[in-house]
Amino acid sequence: MQYISHYESPIGRIVISSNQNALTGLWFEGQKHFAADPGAEYEERLTPVNKETEVWLDIYFNGKKPDFTPPVSLMGTDFQMTVWSILCSIPYGKTMTYGGIARIAALKTGREKMSAQAAGGAIGRNPVSIIVPCHRVIACDGSLTGYAGGLEKKGFLLKLENAI
């Protein structure tokens, strides 16, 4: 069973999805790859995990780095899981390039190399925006590209963290 709640952020409404134990989704309503139907069974309910996520978001949107992370349960391919684990290693207020993530992912998966586009495809399907910080990934020239929630939101999040 999935439990859905909504959070009003300064940059748009966010949908929070959890199971009994962990956060399973966090999306801006209507974003690309938005999981409008998070599973066969779901109900609107503010669970303890959803509430903890809201507290995390309150701290974050007040311009502070939260000192905790709600429990997160990600489901994806092995490659996606590798890329998402790299995203989680990007510190608050810092950025990494798509190419940098591709190089690390190649090393972790025993490949000689990997394209930045392949990494970008996995990044774009991150189901837990902001907490799994896909917004901290930028192009090699420093430009903002490829955020499923929209580039305006990506810019806002990076400015909030003083990353740009």
Side-chain angles (χ1 to χ4, degrees), residues 2-8 13-19 22-29 34 38 43-47 49-55 57 70 127-128 131:
Q2 294 290 305
Y3 302 99
I4 303 297
S5 61
H6 296 88
Y7 178 86
E8 298 298 332
R13 193 170 199 213
I14 292 174
V15 177
I16 300 168
S17 175
S18 68
N19 58 28
L23 182 66
T24 57
L26 191 136
W27 308 272
F28 288 101
E29 269 192 359
F34 173 67
E43 68 180 64
E44 295 257 351
R45 186 185 331 165
L46 186 61
T47 66
V49 172
N50 293 42
K51 182 62 181 161
E52 184 178 4
T53 302
E54 287 187 359
V55 170
L57 290 167
V128 180
I131 292 174

Side-chain angles (χ1 to χ4, degrees), residues 69-86:
T69 303
V72 175
S73 176
L74 299 172
M75 292 183 60
T77 66
D78 289 344
F79 176 68
Q80 288 171 331
M81 297 297 284
T82 297
V83 170
W84 298 338
S85 73
I86 296 165

Side-chain angles (χ1 to χ4, degrees), residues 6-162:
H6 296 88
Y7 178 86
E8 298 298 332
S9 85
I11 52 176
R13 193 170 199 213
I14 292 174
V15 177
I16 300 168
S17 175
S18 68
N19 58 28
Q20 298 264 346
N21 305 306
L23 182 66
T24 57
L26 191 136
W27 308 272
F28 288 101
E29 269 192 359
Q31 80 174 44
K32 187 176 181 184
H33 308 300
F34 173 67
D37 180 5
E41 293 186 46
Y42 69 95
E43 68 180 64
E44 295 257 351
R45 186 185 331 165
L46 186 61
T47 66
V49 172
N50 293 42
K51 182 62 181 161
E52 184 178 4
T53 302
E54 287 187 359
V55 170
W56 190 99
L57 290 167
D58 285 343
I59 295 166
Y60 180 82
F61 282 115
N62 278 306
K64 298 180 180 128
K65 179 186 176 204
D67 63 357
F68 69 96
T69 303
V72 175
S73 176
L74 299 172
M75 292 183 60
T77 66
D78 289 344
F79 176 68
Q80 288 171 331
M81 297 297 284
T82 297
V83 170
W84 298 338
S85 73
I86 296 165
L87 293 177
C88 290
S89 74
I90 306 171
Y92 179 95
K94 302 292 182 191
T95 60
M96 185 179 281
T97 66
Y98 290 93
I101 289 175
R103 283 189 291 282
I104 295 168
L107 287 171
K108 286 186 173 224
T109 58
R111 298 178 184 167
E112 267 188 54
K113 62 182 177 177
M114 180 177 297
S115 74
Q117 292 82 5
I123 293 165
R125 286 187 167 57
N126 167 27
V128 180
S129 295
I130 306 173
I131 292 174
V132 176
C134 52
H135 63 279
R136 295 183 187 147
V137 184
I138 60 173
C140 62
D141 66 1
S143 64
L144 304 185
T145 61
Y147 189 61
L151 293 182
E152 315 79 36
K153 289 178 176 70
K154 183 174 190 167
F156 178 94
L157 298 171
L158 290 172
K159 286 177 187 167
L160 183 69
E161 295 182 18
N162 292 313

